[in-house]
Amino acid sequence: MTYTIKEVSEKVGLSIYTLRYYDKEGLLPFVARNDAGYREFTDGDLNIIHTICCLNNTGMKISAIRQYIADVMAGPASIDDRKRLFHDHREKILEQQRIIAENLKEIDYKLDIYDAPNAEDIVSRELQFAEAEKTANALENPYVKTLISH
């Protein structure tokens, strides 16, 4: 079974423009064209496009994806190169996950404060501490005092 670019766009969640861009960037050399010059995609093509989307969504640069596609086109002789590329990319993703997890802890900590029944008291104490630090170091107080009306 073959698919048009419009059908592929709907199946993989990419715009037709993005698919054409990928083709222009050399990411779709495996896609055949019919006698009229239109792209005809197969299920195997969709599998590779799925991998391209995965790599793109996880931050791999187009040039690296292009290298991966070249390796795919080269066949089994490129397995070691593909493994190396995927191992390196996996390490980058794990580092990104570690950084996101650290930042998520800070966000959760702040949410716990803001969700606390005594949130206003906690925030007021934090503000008083910050202002006292500025004063102790002879620095201008950049915090604006506002009246909280209930």
Side-chain angles (χ1 to χ4, degrees):
M1 175 168 212
T2 63
Y3 306 98
T4 65
I5 195 168
K6 182 178 184 214
E7 291 169 325
V8 171
S9 171
E10 293 166 358
K11 283 183 172 295
V12 300
L14 294 175
S15 68
I16 292 172
Y17 171 82
T18 299
L19 288 165
R20 288 182 178 138
Y21 171 75
Y22 283 177
D23 194 20
K24 180 182 167 198
E25 289 297 314
L27 303 184
L28 306 179
F30 49 85
V31 176
R33 291 187 180 255
N34 64 20
D35 292 338
Y38 293 111
R39 295 169 191 87
E40 287 198 22
F41 297 81
T42 63
D43 288 318
D45 297 341
L46 294 180
N47 290 336
I48 299 173
I49 291 170
H50 176 74
T51 302
I52 291 170
C53 290
C54 168
L55 296 174
N56 185 57
N57 290 342
T58 55
M60 184 178 277
K61 294 180 180 178
I62 294 289
S63 59
I65 298 172
R66 188 181 305 112
Q67 181 56 56
Y68 169 70
I69 295 302
D71 290 340
V72 168
M73 300 301 289
S78 66
I79 287 175
D80 287 341
D81 292 336
R82 296 186 219 185
K83 281 173 40 177
R84 200 170 17 261
L85 180 78
F86 273 71
H87 279 294
D88 291 347
H89 189 59
R90 184 176 193 282
E91 289 304 313
K92 289 176 186 173
I93 293 169
L94 289 172
E95 177 61 13
Q96 289 172 344
Q97 283 182 320
R98 187 190 63 73
I99 291 167
I100 289 170
E102 284 179 22
N103 289 318
L104 186 57
K105 285 179 188 176
E106 177 68 15
I107 290 168
D108 288 341
Y109 169 75
K110 290 297 185 180
L111 279 172
D112 287 345
I113 290 172
Y114 303 144
D115 286 339
N118 60 338
E120 286 185 19
D121 293 337
I122 296 169
V123 171
S124 292
R125 284 194 305 273
E126 287 178 340
L127 178 59
Q128 288 169 358
F129 175 79
E131 289 175 328
E133 252 188 334
K134 298 292 183 190
T135 301
N137 289 290
L139 298 172
E140 181 182 338
N141 181 1
Y143 298 99
V144 177
K145 297 253 183 191
T146 57
L147 295 176
I148 299 174
S149 58
H150 295 288

